[in-house]
Amino acid sequence: MAEGRVAGRYFDGRSSQARAAEARVEAGQLEVHLEGGERLQFAAEQVRLGTQVGSAGCYLHLGEGAALESTDVAGVQALVRALRSSTAGTLWLHRLEISPRLIVLSLLVTVALMVGGVVWGVPWASDRIASMLPESLEELAGSEALDAIDRTWADPSELPEARQQALLVHMQPSLQWLTGQYPERTLKVHFRSAPALGANAFALPGGHLVFTDAMVELAQHDDELVAVLAHEAGHAVHRHGMRNLVQGSLLVFVMASMTGDMSAASDLVTGVPALLATLAYRRGMEEEADDFALDMLRARHISPSRFVDIMQRLDPPREGDEAGSVGRFLSTHPPTPERIERFQEAE
């Protein structure tokens, strides 16, 4: 490089033909002298330092597709420093691209932002999106989920019709109380034979509350099932199923945008109904549903011990296993000793 000058090749951005050129900074502008005597001037804000790949030369992008290519990397950097009042940002970008320490630091920052976005950002956004969705959409999602469960895991209940009707009659006062307290929520109880799910109960979007035959048979008093109903009603009233559905969708699309693989997003769209029954509720959602159940049981003058009894029977603690085994009740309802103790203290 001559003093303050950089030799290279100039591309006008309109053709692939290159012209020999020499560049320098003059009066705060970049002057490019082409062979044949032509002279071009570019304002500082038009000049952008391009990316250097390996040992190859580097580029100065000059706006409107024009560029100056040179193997004189140090000379190009000197030109950029001379124009640093408007190109400092791109100079830092170039330093980032060639500095191993800065590359590692930027990678760590990127990973931290990704983790933070997934752990806190996506749940926060999903809660707000779900609260704005119309009830009709939630009802549609719940109906499709129930249809998918009926096609894959469940059959019509094998409980005697008289037993089903007796349970519905016993639950009716609690359902009426819920309707009075939350008129915007329509709750519907369904009984299903589902050996693959074992003793289970879960809430789907749209207020569909599903009890398996095994759960009914496990109960020794119908009020135990009302206690389970109260917990599931808490999930329904607080729209936990829809919030988890939105969260799962956001997670898939976030990962798809990061990886560029949209097939995962399309798989989610086709598999959402079946996934709804196995979505793991966040700890906060379980606590929210427990609070709701306790308030409802008190209002209905039903002992919280009914919930404790069926939970302990459902998943008895094992020696050496303080938290117990989730067993057949799916990971959506972890019967931890802390939750059981909470209901015991509410007596």
Side-chain angles (χ1 to χ4, degrees):
M1 178 182 75
E3 186 65 28
R5 299 182 181 184
V6 174
R9 298 190 302 164
Y10 173 78
F11 297 87
D12 62 11
R14 295 185 293 272
S15 69
S16 59
Q17 184 178 1
R19 299 171 64 183
E22 187 177 83
R24 66 178 181 179
V25 174
E26 189 70 34
Q29 291 186 321
L30 183 71
E31 286 192 357
V32 179
H33 296 263
L34 304 178
E35 59 180 350
E38 184 179 358
R39 186 181 69 173
L40 305 174
Q41 288 185 322
F42 299 91
E45 58 269 17
Q46 292 179 280
V47 180
R48 181 170 59 87
L49 181 63
T51 301
Q52 179 190 3
V53 181
S55 60
C58 60
Y59 287 85
L60 281 180
H61 297 285
L62 306 175
E64 298 183 359
L68 177 71
E69 178 192 22
S70 177
T71 58
D72 186 356
V73 177
V76 171
Q77 291 177 347
L79 292 178
V80 172
R81 282 194 293 270
L83 295 167
R84 63 182 177 275
S85 60
S86 58
T87 58
T90 56
L91 184 59
W92 276 108
L93 178 61
H94 181 70
R95 289 177 178 172
L96 175 62
E97 291 166 346
I98 64 176
S99 170
R101 290 183 179 180
L102 290 177
I103 290 173
V104 172
L105 178 60
S106 65
L107 179 61
L108 292 175
V109 170
T110 300
V111 171
L113 290 174
M114 290 171 56
V115 172
V118 169
V119 174
W120 293 289
V122 170
W124 179 86
S126 65
D127 289 350
R128 278 142 189 83
I129 292 173
S131 66
M132 295 185 291
L133 294 176
E135 297 284 342
S136 58
L137 180 60
E138 184 174 358
E139 171 60 32
L140 177 62
S143 296
E144 290 186 353
L146 186 60
D147 289 343
I149 291 171
D150 287 342
R151 291 194 304 268
T152 54
W153 297 334
D155 295 312
S157 174
E158 296 178 359
L159 295 172
E161 185 65 28
R163 174 59 172 150
Q164 294 184 49
Q165 290 303 316
L167 278 175
L168 290 174
V169 169
H170 189 79
M171 292 177 175
Q172 191 60 33
S174 296
L175 291 172
Q176 289 177 342
W177 180 88
L178 287 165
T179 300
Q181 295 294 315
Y182 306 94
E184 73 283 0
R185 297 273 84 186
T186 301
L187 302 178
K188 299 167 284 291
V189 176
H190 307 272
F191 299 107
R192 292 291 187 271
S193 172
L197 300 181
N200 203 344
F202 48 88
L204 298 174
H208 296 277
L209 310 182
V210 182
F211 289 75
T212 66
D213 290 355
M215 173 64 84
V216 174
E217 292 166 356
L218 184 70
Q220 296 180 0
H221 193 287
D222 288 351
D223 277 351
E224 294 178 357
L225 296 174
V226 173
V228 174
L229 171 73
H231 178 86
E232 300 306 328
H235 286 308
V237 167
H238 292 294
R239 306 184 76 176
H240 291 164
M242 202 63 185
R243 285 158 61 182
N244 266 331
L245 173 58
V246 173
Q247 178 174 320
S249 302
L250 285 178
L251 284 173
V252 169
F253 282 108
V254 166
M255 297 308 298
S257 65
M258 291 177 180
T259 62
D261 181 10
M262 291 304 295
S263 62
S266 62
D267 290 342
L268 175 76
V269 172
T270 58
V272 156
L275 288 173
L276 276 170
T278 55
L279 284 172
Y281 289 119
R282 290 172 296 184
R283 183 177 181 87
M285 290 182 177
E286 284 300 318
E287 292 176 351
E288 200 169 27
D290 282 349
D291 287 341
F292 185 95
L294 278 172
D295 290 341
M296 176 178 163
L297 292 176
R298 291 191 184 105
R300 297 286 306 133
H301 305 290
I302 298 173
S303 172
S305 66
R306 297 299 188 186
F307 187 79
V308 173
D309 292 343
I310 194 167
M311 290 288 279
Q312 289 181 329
R313 199 176 309 118
L314 181 72
D315 191 22
R318 299 178 182 178
E319 185 177 355
D321 183 9
E322 181 180 350
S325 168
V326 174
R328 297 169 296 171
F329 200 39
L330 295 182
S331 61
T332 55
H333 302 75
T336 61
E338 292 82 3
R339 293 178 63 199
I340 292 176
E341 182 179 355
R342 185 180 179 192
F343 277 80
Q344 289 174 330
E345 292 175 350
E347 283 286 350

Tab-separated table of all heavy atoms in Angstrom, residues 99-137:
chain	number	residue	atom	x	y	z
A	99	SER	N	-11.771	-12.325	15.812
A	99	SER	CA	-11.258	-12.500	17.165
A	99	SER	C	-11.870	-13.734	17.813
A	99	SER	O	-13.077	-13.756	18.069
A	99	SER	CB	-11.559	-11.259	18.016
A	99	SER	OG	-11.272	-11.523	19.381
A	100	PRO	N	-11.080	-14.769	18.122
A	100	PRO	CA	-11.632	-15.967	18.771
A	100	PRO	C	-12.307	-15.653	20.101
A	100	PRO	O	-13.351	-16.221	20.427
A	100	PRO	CB	-10.403	-16.862	18.962
A	100	PRO	CG	-9.443	-16.405	17.907
A	100	PRO	CD	-9.649	-14.929	17.803
A	101	ARG	N	-11.725	-14.739	20.884
A	101	ARG	CA	-12.311	-14.416	22.183
A	101	ARG	C	-13.684	-13.772	22.025
A	101	ARG	O	-14.630	-14.120	22.735
A	101	ARG	CB	-11.383	-13.472	22.958
A	101	ARG	CG	-10.095	-14.144	23.432
A	101	ARG	CD	-9.274	-13.176	24.253
A	101	ARG	NE	-8.041	-13.802	24.734
A	101	ARG	CZ	-7.127	-13.187	25.478
A	101	ARG	NH1	-7.316	-11.919	25.832
A	101	ARG	NH2	-6.045	-13.822	25.873
A	102	LEU	N	-13.778	-12.829	21.086
A	102	LEU	CA	-15.050	-12.172	20.871
A	102	LEU	C	-16.082	-13.136	20.282
A	102	LEU	O	-17.280	-13.035	20.572
A	102	LEU	CB	-14.882	-10.963	19.959
A	102	LEU	CG	-14.134	-9.772	20.576
A	102	LEU	CD1	-13.979	-8.658	19.547
A	102	LEU	CD2	-14.878	-9.250	21.803
A	103	ILE	N	-15.615	-14.073	19.454
A	103	ILE	CA	-16.526	-15.074	18.887
A	103	ILE	C	-17.110	-15.939	20.004
A	103	ILE	O	-18.318	-16.195	20.052
A	103	ILE	CB	-15.801	-15.940	17.846
A	103	ILE	CG1	-15.493	-15.107	16.602
A	103	ILE	CG2	-16.644	-17.153	17.470
A	103	ILE	CD1	-14.638	-15.836	15.584
A	104	VAL	N	-16.253	-16.406	20.919
A	104	VAL	CA	-16.719	-17.228	22.040
A	104	VAL	C	-17.668	-16.428	22.928
A	104	VAL	O	-18.716	-16.927	23.360
A	104	VAL	CB	-15.520	-17.747	22.851
A	104	VAL	CG1	-16.003	-18.431	24.136
A	104	VAL	CG2	-14.695	-18.717	22.018
A	105	LEU	N	-17.303	-15.151	23.200
A	105	LEU	CA	-18.154	-14.313	24.037
A	105	LEU	C	-19.519	-14.105	23.395
A	105	LEU	O	-20.553	-14.203	24.059
A	105	LEU	CB	-17.479	-12.964	24.282
A	105	LEU	CG	-18.291	-11.948	25.109
A	105	LEU	CD1	-18.582	-12.516	26.491
A	105	LEU	CD2	-17.542	-10.627	25.211
A	106	SER	N	-19.515	-13.815	22.091
A	106	SER	CA	-20.791	-13.597	21.401
A	106	SER	C	-21.623	-14.871	21.387
A	106	SER	O	-22.858	-14.829	21.491
A	106	SER	CB	-20.551	-13.111	19.973
A	106	SER	OG	-19.912	-14.112	19.201
A	107	LEU	N	-20.963	-16.032	21.282
A	107	LEU	CA	-21.682	-17.305	21.309
A	107	LEU	C	-22.338	-17.520	22.668
A	107	LEU	O	-23.503	-17.935	22.754
A	107	LEU	CB	-20.727	-18.453	20.989
A	107	LEU	CG	-21.330	-19.868	21.006
A	107	LEU	CD1	-22.432	-19.978	19.961
A	107	LEU	CD2	-20.253	-20.913	20.760
A	108	LEU	N	-21.604	-17.223	23.731
A	108	LEU	CA	-22.160	-17.383	25.071
A	108	LEU	C	-23.343	-16.443	25.293
A	108	LEU	O	-24.364	-16.833	25.887
A	108	LEU	CB	-21.075	-17.123	26.126
A	108	LEU	CG	-19.937	-18.152	26.191
A	108	LEU	CD1	-18.883	-17.705	27.195
A	108	LEU	CD2	-20.473	-19.528	26.562
A	109	VAL	N	-23.216	-15.204	24.831
A	109	VAL	CA	-24.309	-14.244	24.973
A	109	VAL	C	-25.525	-14.721	24.189
A	109	VAL	O	-26.669	-14.648	24.662
A	109	VAL	CB	-23.862	-12.850	24.503
A	109	VAL	CG1	-25.056	-11.903	24.427
A	109	VAL	CG2	-22.816	-12.288	25.440
A	110	THR	N	-25.293	-15.238	22.969
A	110	THR	CA	-26.389	-15.722	22.139
A	110	THR	C	-27.105	-16.891	22.804
A	110	THR	O	-28.343	-16.941	22.845
A	110	THR	CB	-25.867	-16.152	20.759
A	110	THR	OG1	-25.252	-15.035	20.112
A	110	THR	CG2	-26.996	-16.671	19.884
A	111	VAL	N	-26.336	-17.838	23.349
A	111	VAL	CA	-26.932	-18.991	24.025
A	111	VAL	C	-27.732	-18.540	25.245
A	111	VAL	O	-28.840	-19.035	25.500
A	111	VAL	CB	-25.841	-20.000	24.428
A	111	VAL	CG1	-26.415	-21.084	25.328
A	111	VAL	CG2	-25.208	-20.624	23.191
A	112	ALA	N	-27.161	-17.575	26.009
A	112	ALA	CA	-27.872	-17.078	27.190
A	112	ALA	C	-29.189	-16.426	26.809
A	112	ALA	O	-30.219	-16.619	27.469
A	112	ALA	CB	-26.987	-16.081	27.947
A	113	LEU	N	-29.183	-15.656	25.729
A	113	LEU	CA	-30.415	-15.020	25.271
A	113	LEU	C	-31.427	-16.049	24.803
A	113	LEU	O	-32.635	-15.915	25.046
A	113	LEU	CB	-30.102	-14.026	24.153
A	113	LEU	CG	-29.341	-12.759	24.573
A	113	LEU	CD1	-28.964	-11.937	23.339
A	113	LEU	CD2	-30.166	-11.922	25.531
A	114	MET	N	-30.945	-17.092	24.105
A	114	MET	CA	-31.844	-18.144	23.643
A	114	MET	C	-32.485	-18.864	24.820
A	114	MET	O	-33.705	-19.090	24.840
A	114	MET	CB	-31.078	-19.129	22.751
A	114	MET	CG	-30.670	-18.589	21.402
A	114	MET	SD	-29.563	-19.699	20.514
A	114	MET	CE	-30.543	-21.199	20.472
A	115	VAL	N	-31.663	-19.241	25.801
A	115	VAL	CA	-32.182	-19.951	26.970
A	115	VAL	C	-33.176	-19.080	27.727
A	115	VAL	O	-34.258	-19.528	28.120
A	115	VAL	CB	-31.036	-20.396	27.891
A	115	VAL	CG1	-31.574	-20.947	29.205
A	115	VAL	CG2	-30.171	-21.441	27.188
A	116	GLY	N	-32.803	-17.808	27.926
A	116	GLY	CA	-33.706	-16.898	28.620
A	116	GLY	C	-35.016	-16.723	27.885
A	116	GLY	O	-36.084	-16.680	28.491
A	117	GLY	N	-34.923	-16.639	26.553
A	117	GLY	CA	-36.140	-16.494	25.764
A	117	GLY	C	-37.045	-17.700	25.869
A	117	GLY	O	-38.266	-17.574	25.975
A	118	VAL	N	-36.439	-18.901	25.872
A	118	VAL	CA	-37.236	-20.126	25.942
A	118	VAL	C	-37.808	-20.333	27.341
A	118	VAL	O	-38.982	-20.682	27.507
A	118	VAL	CB	-36.379	-21.336	25.519
A	118	VAL	CG1	-37.093	-22.642	25.835
A	118	VAL	CG2	-36.056	-21.261	24.024
A	119	VAL	N	-36.984	-20.090	28.368
A	119	VAL	CA	-37.407	-20.383	29.747
A	119	VAL	C	-38.383	-19.344	30.274
A	119	VAL	O	-39.360	-19.687	30.964
A	119	VAL	CB	-36.170	-20.479	30.667
A	119	VAL	CG1	-36.600	-20.637	32.131
A	119	VAL	CG2	-35.296	-21.654	30.251
A	120	TRP	N	-38.148	-18.066	29.958
A	120	TRP	CA	-39.004	-17.009	30.509
A	120	TRP	C	-39.812	-16.280	29.432
A	120	TRP	O	-40.975	-15.976	29.642
A	120	TRP	CB	-38.146	-15.995	31.272
A	120	TRP	CG	-37.524	-16.571	32.493
A	120	TRP	CD1	-38.158	-16.925	33.663
A	120	TRP	CD2	-36.143	-16.899	32.686
A	120	TRP	NE1	-37.259	-17.440	34.560
A	120	TRP	CE2	-36.009	-17.432	33.992
A	120	TRP	CE3	-34.999	-16.769	31.887
A	120	TRP	CZ2	-34.788	-17.841	34.501
A	120	TRP	CZ3	-33.777	-17.178	32.390
A	120	TRP	CH2	-33.677	-17.716	33.687
A	121	GLY	N	-39.187	-15.990	28.305
A	121	GLY	CA	-39.865	-15.205	27.281
A	121	GLY	C	-41.051	-15.910	26.656
A	121	GLY	O	-42.140	-15.330	26.536
A	122	VAL	N	-40.866	-17.174	26.255
A	122	VAL	CA	-41.950	-17.907	25.602
A	122	VAL	C	-43.138	-18.111	26.545
A	122	VAL	O	-44.290	-17.871	26.150
A	122	VAL	CB	-41.442	-19.245	25.034
A	122	VAL	CG1	-42.600	-20.119	24.582
A	122	VAL	CG2	-40.490	-18.992	23.859
A	123	PRO	N	-42.936	-18.548	27.805
A	123	PRO	CA	-44.096	-18.670	28.704
A	123	PRO	C	-44.822	-17.338	28.919
A	123	PRO	O	-46.057	-17.302	28.949
A	123	PRO	CB	-43.477	-19.187	30.015
A	123	PRO	CG	-42.247	-19.900	29.580
A	123	PRO	CD	-41.715	-19.096	28.424
A	124	TRP	N	-44.066	-16.269	29.075
A	124	TRP	CA	-44.688	-14.955	29.275
A	124	TRP	C	-45.547	-14.586	28.070
A	124	TRP	O	-46.692	-14.146	28.207
A	124	TRP	CB	-43.604	-13.905	29.498
A	124	TRP	CG	-44.126	-12.513	29.694
A	124	TRP	CD1	-44.544	-11.930	30.852
A	124	TRP	CD2	-44.303	-11.522	28.665
A	124	TRP	NE1	-44.971	-10.651	30.633
A	124	TRP	CE2	-44.834	-10.358	29.298
A	124	TRP	CE3	-44.063	-11.500	27.292
A	124	TRP	CZ2	-45.123	-9.201	28.579
A	124	TRP	CZ3	-44.348	-10.340	26.583
A	124	TRP	CH2	-44.874	-9.213	27.216
A	125	ALA	N	-44.991	-14.756	26.871
A	125	ALA	CA	-45.734	-14.413	25.661
A	125	ALA	C	-46.941	-15.335	25.467
A	125	ALA	O	-48.014	-14.884	25.067
A	125	ALA	CB	-44.806	-14.486	24.445
A	126	SER	N	-46.764	-16.631	25.767
A	126	SER	CA	-47.863	-17.580	25.553
A	126	SER	C	-49.049	-17.269	26.464
A	126	SER	O	-50.209	-17.399	26.056
A	126	SER	CB	-47.383	-19.013	25.778
A	126	SER	OG	-47.016	-19.221	27.128
A	127	ASP	N	-48.790	-16.854	27.696
A	127	ASP	CA	-49.878	-16.512	28.606
A	127	ASP	C	-50.701	-15.356	28.056
A	127	ASP	O	-51.944	-15.365	28.119
A	127	ASP	CB	-49.324	-16.141	29.983
A	127	ASP	CG	-48.783	-17.341	30.731
A	127	ASP	OD1	-49.003	-18.484	30.265
A	127	ASP	OD2	-48.127	-17.144	31.773
A	128	ARG	N	-50.030	-14.378	27.506
A	128	ARG	CA	-50.750	-13.209	27.000
A	128	ARG	C	-51.462	-13.490	25.684
A	128	ARG	O	-52.552	-13.000	25.440
A	128	ARG	CB	-49.768	-12.038	26.867
A	128	ARG	CG	-49.576	-11.338	28.209
A	128	ARG	CD	-48.155	-10.884	28.452
A	128	ARG	NE	-48.033	-10.437	29.846
A	128	ARG	CZ	-47.827	-11.282	30.862
A	128	ARG	NH1	-47.757	-12.578	30.643
A	128	ARG	NH2	-47.723	-10.814	32.097
A	129	ILE	N	-50.846	-14.295	24.844
A	129	ILE	CA	-51.506	-14.659	23.584
A	129	ILE	C	-52.750	-15.492	23.859
A	129	ILE	O	-53.821	-15.260	23.285
A	129	ILE	CB	-50.531	-15.418	22.671
A	129	ILE	CG1	-49.415	-14.486	22.204
A	129	ILE	CG2	-51.261	-15.991	21.460
A	129	ILE	CD1	-48.308	-15.194	21.439
A	130	ALA	N	-52.628	-16.471	24.765
A	130	ALA	CA	-53.765	-17.344	25.072
A	130	ALA	C	-54.934	-16.552	25.633
A	130	ALA	O	-56.098	-16.847	25.338
A	130	ALA	CB	-53.337	-18.426	26.058
A	131	SER	N	-54.650	-15.539	26.445
A	131	SER	CA	-55.737	-14.751	27.043
A	131	SER	C	-56.496	-13.949	26.002
A	131	SER	O	-57.647	-13.539	26.240
A	131	SER	CB	-55.166	-13.806	28.110
A	131	SER	OG	-54.329	-12.817	27.511
A	132	MET	N	-55.895	-13.714	24.834
A	132	MET	CA	-56.559	-12.936	23.782
A	132	MET	C	-57.282	-13.804	22.758
A	132	MET	O	-58.001	-13.284	21.909
A	132	MET	CB	-55.527	-12.055	23.072
A	132	MET	CG	-54.903	-10.992	23.963
A	132	MET	SD	-53.791	-9.884	23.063
A	132	MET	CE	-52.444	-11.010	22.668
A	133	LEU	N	-57.097	-15.118	22.832
A	133	LEU	CA	-57.734	-15.996	21.851
A	133	LEU	C	-59.222	-16.158	22.162
A	133	LEU	O	-59.616	-16.229	23.326
A	133	LEU	CB	-57.047	-17.365	21.855
A	133	LEU	CG	-55.586	-17.367	21.378
A	133	LEU	CD1	-54.988	-18.766	21.532
A	133	LEU	CD2	-55.479	-16.905	19.939
A	134	PRO	N	-60.063	-16.242	21.153
A	134	PRO	CA	-61.515	-16.368	21.391
A	134	PRO	C	-61.877	-17.722	21.973
A	134	PRO	O	-61.184	-18.730	21.759
A	134	PRO	CB	-62.105	-16.181	19.985
A	134	PRO	CG	-61.021	-16.589	19.044
A	134	PRO	CD	-59.735	-16.173	19.711
A	135	GLU	N	-62.983	-17.754	22.703
A	135	GLU	CA	-63.463	-18.991	23.311
A	135	GLU	C	-63.759	-20.050	22.247
A	135	GLU	O	-63.557	-21.248	22.477
A	135	GLU	CB	-64.729	-18.715	24.122
A	135	GLU	CG	-64.544	-17.762	25.296
A	135	GLU	CD	-63.864	-18.430	26.470
A	135	GLU	OE1	-63.850	-19.676	26.495
A	135	GLU	OE2	-63.354	-17.715	27.348
A	136	SER	N	-64.218	-19.611	21.081
A	136	SER	CA	-64.568	-20.561	20.025
A	136	SER	C	-63.348	-21.348	19.565
A	136	SER	O	-63.444	-22.550	19.274
A	136	SER	CB	-65.194	-19.830	18.836
A	136	SER	OG	-64.306	-18.841	18.324
A	137	LEU	N	-62.202	-20.692	19.524
A	137	LEU	CA	-60.980	-21.379	19.116
A	137	LEU	C	-60.555	-22.394	20.166
A	137	LEU	O	-60.126	-23.508	19.843
A	137	LEU	CB	-59.862	-20.367	18.878
A	137	LEU	CG	-58.514	-20.937	18.438
A	137	LEU	CD1	-58.653	-21.697	17.121
A	137	LEU	CD2	-57.471	-19.821	18.305
